[in-house]
Amino acid sequence: MTDSETLLKVEGLRISFGDAVPVRNVSFTVPKHGRVALVGESGCGKSLTALSLWKDHPEVRLAYVFQNPMESLNPVMKIGAQIHESAKGITREEIVELLRRTGLEDPERVYSSYPCRLSGGQCQRAMIAMALAAKPDLLVADEPTTALDVTTQREVLELIDSLAAETGMAVLLITHNLGLVAGRMDMVNVMYAGEIVESGPVEEVLANPRHPYTQGLLKAVPALDAPMDAPLADIPGTVPPPDDWPSGCAFHPRCPFATGKCSSEPPPERVCCAVRFKCHKGE
């Protein structure tokens, strides 16, 4: 990818709080007009990585949509006033039009409403309208469907897709669900214990995941044709705390393929079919 095609490039990002290093040596690229996913369980460092972007890339206009709109919106300010505050100089008419573009059926009412008078889905659409008011080059959607019902989740994701196509903005989707990136994102970065363990084109990673953590995340995605009483697959154990990352490969305490080498030596980065991954298996 040439520099003219690159919107944002993260190289060797490290974030620390005393002895805790929740993000370490993270590198990835977002192309202009690109669609990139950052995937992993809670505690892997995804949101911290995304929040660091505005500081390190001041030349890129960034806008964020957070995972719980009822907590992200100011409860004592009406929606219109909040959007006015986030985009100075914008008119009431422009805000109402933005609210309409996000699919809100009564944008005038939403403009004059407090968040508590709106549903979760309406609040999330208002958050997206607020993000669009900044005319961003990159929209960072951090778990934008959390706490929404399944139908509204799909509507919100489809809305982000259509607005990205309409405006040309790039999208960085942060999620724990690999199923959400299929057919929606171009590139995926799988993050575990503060580092990216696998990255590449979405179709290639989903069709042939190399890292055991990616394989576990895929197995945890519920199958639409599975019986209602079928047990959900999960990855045994939990993400360790950032002040106590395991030695060697951080995933080795939870990995079904781990050997002694995995606990003592950090895995090298390997490349196969445009996919980069860090794993000792198959060396």
Side-chain angles (χ1 to χ4, degrees):
M1 184 184 301
T2 65
D3 289 341
S4 63
E5 297 172 321
T6 301
L7 173 64
L8 181 145
K9 189 172 186 179
V10 177
E11 290 187 288
L13 176 65
R14 184 180 187 273
I15 300 174
S16 62
F17 302 98
D19 294 333
V21 187
V23 176
R24 47 189 182 150
N25 196 31
V26 166
S27 300
F28 64 93
T29 299
V30 179
K32 291 179 180 178
H33 320 301
R35 301 176 302 165
V36 178
L38 195 57
V39 181
E41 296 167 283
S42 296
C44 285
K46 308 185 302 299
S47 294
L48 271 177
T49 296
L51 287 172
S52 74
L53 300 181
W54 70 269
K55 180 179 179 181
D56 295 332
H57 300 84
E59 75 284 359
V60 179
R61 292 194 305 271
L62 292 168
Y64 290 80
V65 175
F66 297 105
Q67 58 183 296
N68 192 332
M70 298 302 290
E71 293 182 359
S72 301
L73 291 169
N74 189 329
V76 298
M77 288 180 66
K78 294 180 179 179
I79 296 297
Q82 296 192 52
I83 299 178
H84 272 293
E85 191 174 73
S86 68
K88 302 299 183 182
I90 193 170
T91 66
R92 177 190 176 103
E93 291 73 21
E94 289 172 326
I95 293 175
V96 170
E97 178 56 28
L98 283 175
L99 293 170
R100 181 178 289 108
R101 285 172 64 192
T102 64
L104 289 163
E105 295 180 356
D106 191 357
E108 288 280 0
R109 181 185 69 84
V110 173
Y111 177 95
S112 302
S113 295
Y114 290 101
C116 65
R117 305 294 296 177
L118 305 174
S119 68
Q122 289 173 323
C123 283
Q124 194 61 292
R125 289 174 186 272
M127 284 286 295
I128 294 171
M130 187 183 301
L132 290 178
K135 298 180 180 179
D137 301 313
L138 173 62
L139 177 68
V140 181
D142 187 355
E143 298 278 10
T145 59
T146 298
L148 302 179
D149 62 79
V150 175
T151 300
T152 306
Q153 287 181 19
R154 184 185 69 251
E155 291 175 349
V156 167
L157 290 172
E158 289 176 350
L159 172 62
I160 291 173
D161 291 344
S162 64
L163 291 172
E166 176 188 336
T167 63
M169 66 182 177
V171 175
L172 177 63
L173 174 65
I174 298 173
T175 179
H176 63 276
N177 186 353
L178 262 178
L180 295 183
V181 309
R184 177 165 282 113
M185 298 288 110
D186 303 317
M187 302 290 292
V188 60
N189 301 279
V190 180
M191 195 167 184
Y192 184 77
E195 60 183 346
I196 292 176
V197 297
E198 183 164 2
S199 62
V202 167
E203 291 184 0
E204 180 63 31
V205 171
L206 296 188
N208 188 19
R210 274 79 175 179
H211 198 282
Y213 182 59
T214 310
Q215 296 168 8
L217 290 177
L218 266 178
K219 290 178 182 178
V221 176
L224 294 178
D225 57 353
M228 291 293 292
D229 58 349
L232 293 175
D234 62 1
I235 303 174
T238 59
V239 178
D243 59 350
D244 192 26
W245 296 136
S247 60
C249 171
F251 187 60
H252 83 262
R254 306 174 67 190
C255 181
F257 309 108
T259 65
K261 187 176 185 180
C262 300
S263 62
S264 60
E265 298 181 24
E269 183 175 84
R270 299 153 67 190
V271 182
C272 181
C273 301
V275 174
R276 296 180 178 273
F277 62 102
K278 298 177 181 179
C279 186
H280 288 299
K281 183 184 176 185
E283 283 183 313

